[in-house]
Each structure stands twice: as C-alpha cells, then as structure tokens.
Amino acid sequence: MEYSALSELLRVTANLKIVSLAGGLPAPESFPLKIIKDLNDLVLKKYGGTALQYGPTDGAKILREEIAVWLRDRNIKVFTNNIGITSGSQGALDTIGKIFIDEGDMIAVESPTYIGAVDAFAPYGPTFAEIETDDNGIIPESLEKILKTKKIKFVYLIPTFQNPTGRTISKERRKQVAEIIKKHDVFLVEDDPYNSLRYRGIPLDPIQTLAPENTIYLCTFSKVLAPGLRIGFYAAPVEIAKLMVAAKQSVDLHTNSYGQYLAAEYLKTGHLKKHLPNILKIYRLRQMAMFKSLTKYFPSLFKWTKPEGGMFIWVTGPKNFDALKLYWKAVEDNVAFVPGTYFFAHQKEGKNTFRLNFTNVNEKQIEIAIKKLSEIIKKT
Ligand SMILES: Cc1ncc(COP(=O)(O)O)c(C=O)c1O
C-alpha cells in the first residue's frame, strides 16, 4: 500500500489561510445541530443502553426499516434483508473489494472516477478498465465494448452528480447501461452519495431500479446529516447482502450503534425531509456563485460542467494546460483545488483538467478564489 500523492496535496490545504476548493466536505453550517441535540435526547430515552451496546453486523433493524421506506422515494424497492449499514459508503466499498476482488481481476470504472473507490479496491490487487465518458455520463457503447472484450468482475459507477465531474448519466443511457449489464450478467456497484443534493431539474431513477438483481446500491448519511457519524448503507440482492455481512463482521463487528439510532430517528421523525431544503439552499447559492465567477473571470478556452446538483464542478483547459503547475502556484496564493489527473484510474490522463468543490466555502470566498485562479492562468 502507498500513501497517495493526493493525500499529500490535500494535506497542504489544511493550512487555515488557504481557501480550499479541493476537498469534498459538506458545509458545517449545513449540519442540523439543534435537530441532533433533540434526537440525542430522544434516542437515549427511547433506546437507552441498546443505542450504546454492541449491535448486529448488518445494522440496527429500525434504521434498515427506515432506509427501505426512504429508498421508495427513489423508486428503489428493497426490504430490510437487502440492506446493511456500513461505516460510511467508503466502508461498503472496502467490503465489496474484500468479497469480490481477487488479485488480477479487472474492474470497469468511469474515466475519471472517484479515487476513494480506486484506493479502496487497490489493496485487493485489481486492474482497471476505463469506460469513456462525455457530458451525459458514460458512453454505453464503450461499456459494451469493454464487457465484450475483457473479463470484468464488476462495474463501478456514480451515475448522479458524479465525483469528480458532477455529471449525471442521462435517462436514456441508464436504460442502456441496465440492459448491457443484464445481458453480460455482470454486476454493477452504483454509488449514489449525492442523489439528494439536487438544486434544479427532474430527479432520475437510479440504475438499480432497472436492474435490481444485478446492482449493489450504495448511499450515505454523510451529505444529508453529518459525515462524522460515518453512517452509510448498501441495498443488494439477499445473497450478496449475506456475503457483505460475513465480510464486515471480522473488520469492525458493526457500524457505531449510537449514530445508527440517530440516523434512524432523523428519518422516522421526518427531520430529513424538513432539513434537506436548508442544505439545498446553501449549496444552490454557492454553486451559482461558482458558475457566475467562472463565466466572469475564466479565459474562453476553458470549459466546465454545469451539474444540476452535487458538490463538484469539473474544469477542462486547453490541451497544453497543466493543472498541476497551476495547483502549486495557486497554493502559494492560498487557493487550492484538485488537479484532475488524480481521478483517473490510469493517472496519465486529464492533465488539463481539475475539480472544484463549492460546498465548503462561502460565495465571497468563491469569487476571490476563482478570480485568483484566473489571474494565475492568464499570467502563465
Ligand atoms: C462517490 C463517493 N463515494 C463514496 C464516498 C464516501 O462517502 P462516505 O464514506 O462519507 O459515505 C464519497 C465521499 O465523498 C464519494 O464522493
């Protein structure tokens, strides 16, 4: 295992003077502190010691029941025995790697993809096939070609407001992807942490709804409650869910009980539905501020994605633009972002791209940071 170069870059951004568009952190102002305080009292009163005791590996039953109800809003029809609770969705990614990946297995991923997934799978020794993408997400023909010509263990996708690009796989392509994975009898890991963070437009059903027997669906409370609680979950066919439980048991016995009961009551009492508009309001304004500043300051040869939600915008410069060079100059000027090359499974690509986060900085900071970046770009 190697300490990743990306971690080194992100370490630099811990300097308090830096305006960081680098991480993927929710805004602390979005955390429902008052609700959590009330739920604390409720959980202690209602569940007593059970909320602080060891619990079942697949998670607290009440939370799994509530998640099954919540997922109906996305047209996902699953039951408690399909659902398991993990330490963030990151925990689920590791468990999936542990169960399914043997040394040398090939995994198909988007190009670019969430590097935290690549890092979670990497210790199990896979290789990666990169699926081509455009503004509508993955290109189904590219997936089909990979599945026809290579032996793929599973496909890993973030279809909605993808990290790092913010892109969403279109409705038409979701249908095609579902057909392709069913035809090739391969399974899909659908990672969906940003689903609730929609600022405009019409929600799309997850691919899981079109291929439930072939999909392990992952989601998390990190973006709608608080990431520090580390509560994520999967919904999978029962046979796979059983394997997930067996693999998780030896790692951490179960995810923290207290947080699970808090999350369960956050859903059961209707607080998520009431609080979500507050989160969306903060992020919608920040995203608009970033779009506005990019349009105002950035040179015309630069293009960026225009997601309807999520936490990221992906910028592509002209072919000869070097985002890593910009990174080091920007850090001297107290601005940080993530050079795009780190999000490619084969890190020789995307040198002219970078990822911007807009959720953990306010509108004023966004304007200052984007202006500074554009000034450095124009000078070099
Ligand atoms: C695509 C994706 N998957 C998984 C995660 C992990 O989230 P968590 O472990 O907090 O649920 C993240 C975090 O940013 C992410 O962007």
Side-chain angles (χ1 to χ4, degrees), residues 24 87-91 93 114 156 158 163 191 193-194 219-223 227 230-232 312:
S87 301
S89 34
Q90 197 67 27
L93 290 170
Y114 169 53
Y156 170 74
I158 309 140
N163 182 0
D191 194 1
Y194 303 104
C219 194
T220 179
F221 285 84
S222 291
K223 323 292 173 184
R230 309 305 303 129
I231 309 286
F312 305 107

Side-chain angles (χ1 to χ4, degrees), residues 15-134:
N15 173 350
L16 286 182
K17 274 202 225 136
I18 288 201
V19 176
S20 179
L21 313 175
L25 305 190
E29 313 81 280
S30 77
F31 302 155
L33 297 186
K34 169 79 174 63
I35 293 172
I36 290 174
K37 190 167 177 295
D38 294 345
L39 291 180
N40 267 327
D41 292 344
L42 176 73
V43 164
L44 288 178
K45 212 164 142 195
K46 190 165 166 186
Y47 304 98
T50 309
L52 298 164
Q53 185 56 282
Y54 284 115
T57 303
D58 53 357
K61 188 154 176 275
I62 173 83
L63 178 57
R64 292 186 292 120
E65 283 167 359
E66 288 301 322
I67 288 170
V69 174
W70 182 26
L71 290 180
R72 299 269 155 155
D73 292 351
R74 299 177 189 174
N75 289 326
I76 293 179
K77 297 184 183 81
V78 286
F79 301 95
T80 47
N81 60 348
N82 299 110
I83 296 169
I85 311 300
T86 50
S87 301
S89 34
Q90 197 67 27
L93 290 170
D94 176 63
T95 307
I96 289 167
K98 192 171 194 185
I99 297 172
F100 292 106
I101 303 175
D102 292 316
E103 181 103 33
D105 279 349
M106 190 173 260
I107 315 299
V109 298
E110 284 152 295
S111 171
T113 187
Y114 169 53
I115 211 61
V118 172
D119 287 347
F121 301 147
Y124 303 102
T127 57
F128 293 96
E130 291 187 293
I131 312 162
E132 288 169 43
T133 58
D134 64 17

Side-chain angles (χ1 to χ4, degrees), residues 27-283:
E29 313 81 280
S30 77
F31 302 155
L33 297 186
K34 169 79 174 63
I35 293 172
I36 290 174
K37 190 167 177 295
D38 294 345
L39 291 180
N40 267 327
D41 292 344
L42 176 73
V43 164
L44 288 178
K45 212 164 142 195
K46 190 165 166 186
Y47 304 98
T50 309
L52 298 164
Q53 185 56 282
Y54 284 115
T57 303
D58 53 357
K61 188 154 176 275
I62 173 83
L63 178 57
R64 292 186 292 120
E65 283 167 359
E66 288 301 322
I67 288 170
V69 174
W70 182 26
L71 290 180
R72 299 269 155 155
D73 292 351
R74 299 177 189 174
N75 289 326
I76 293 179
K77 297 184 183 81
V78 286
F79 301 95
T80 47
N81 60 348
N82 299 110
I83 296 169
I85 311 300
T86 50
S87 301
S89 34
Q90 197 67 27
L93 290 170
D94 176 63
T95 307
I96 289 167
K98 192 171 194 185
I99 297 172
F100 292 106
I101 303 175
D102 292 316
E103 181 103 33
D105 279 349
M106 190 173 260
I107 315 299
V109 298
E110 284 152 295
S111 171
T113 187
Y114 169 53
I115 211 61
V118 172
D119 287 347
F121 301 147
Y124 303 102
T127 57
F128 293 96
E130 291 187 293
I131 312 162
E132 288 169 43
T133 58
D134 64 17
D135 280 346
N136 286 318
I138 61 160
I139 299 170
E141 291 74 17
S142 170
L143 173 63
E144 174 109 64
K145 188 172 164 204
I146 289 171
L147 292 176
K148 264 189 189 154
T149 54
K150 297 178 162 69
K151 194 167 179 316
I152 295 294
K153 198 62 173 276
F154 61 84
V155 179
Y156 170 74
L157 301 178
I158 309 140
T160 305
F161 310 138
Q162 197 232 24
N163 182 0
T165 62
R167 287 176 188 142
T168 291
I169 300 180
S170 66
K171 190 173 174 183
E172 193 46 49
R173 284 192 183 176
R174 284 172 192 239
K175 283 190 204 148
Q176 287 174 273
V177 171
E179 288 314 312
I180 291 169
I181 59 168
K182 283 193 276 192
K183 185 170 108 191
H184 290 270
D185 197 23
V186 65
F187 78 89
L188 166 70
V189 176
E190 180 172 24
D191 194 1
D192 202 17
Y194 303 104
N195 188 296
S196 298
L197 301 184
R198 174 173 281 283
Y199 316 130
R200 322 170 264 295
I202 300 158
L204 294 175
D205 287 346
I207 298 173
Q208 193 279 354
T209 62
L210 304 165
E213 289 308 315
N214 289 64
T215 306
I216 305 180
Y217 181 80
L218 310 185
C219 194
T220 179
F221 285 84
S222 291
K223 323 292 173 184
V224 294
L225 177 54
L229 291 172
R230 309 305 303 129
I231 309 286
F233 58 91
Y234 57 83
V238 172
E239 289 314 309
I240 292 183
K242 281 186 192 156
L243 290 175
M244 295 286 283
V245 175
K248 179 179 166 66
Q249 195 155 31
S250 58
V251 177
D252 60 1
L253 300 181
H254 61 84
T255 296
N256 97 73
S257 307
Y258 197 63
Q260 290 190 55
Y261 286 100
L262 272 183
E265 289 299 328
Y266 188 55
L267 294 176
K268 196 173 166 64
T269 53
H271 276 303
L272 168 64
K273 287 208 168 113
K274 274 184 259 160
H275 181 63
L276 187 59
N278 303 331
I279 303 177
L280 300 185
K281 190 172 163 204
I282 300 172
Y283 293 169

Side-chain angles (χ1 to χ4, degrees), residues 4-11 13 19-25 113 115 163-164 312-315 321 323-328 330-331 335-344 347 350-357 373:
S4 81
L6 180 58
S7 310
E8 278 300 315
L9 286 193
L10 290 176
R11 209 165 51 83
T13 67
V19 176
S20 179
L21 313 175
L25 305 190
T113 187
I115 211 61
N163 182 0
F312 305 107
I313 293 174
W314 180 252
V315 182
F321 166 70
L324 198 56
K325 251 193 195 159
L326 174 67
Y327 175 83
W328 290 114
V331 165
V335 179
F337 57 86
V338 185
T341 191
Y342 294 104
F343 297 101
F344 289 82
Q347 288 187 9
K351 290 203 184 331
N352 63 331
T353 61
F354 57 96
R355 186 192 77 174
L356 297 173
N357 165 261
L373 288 182

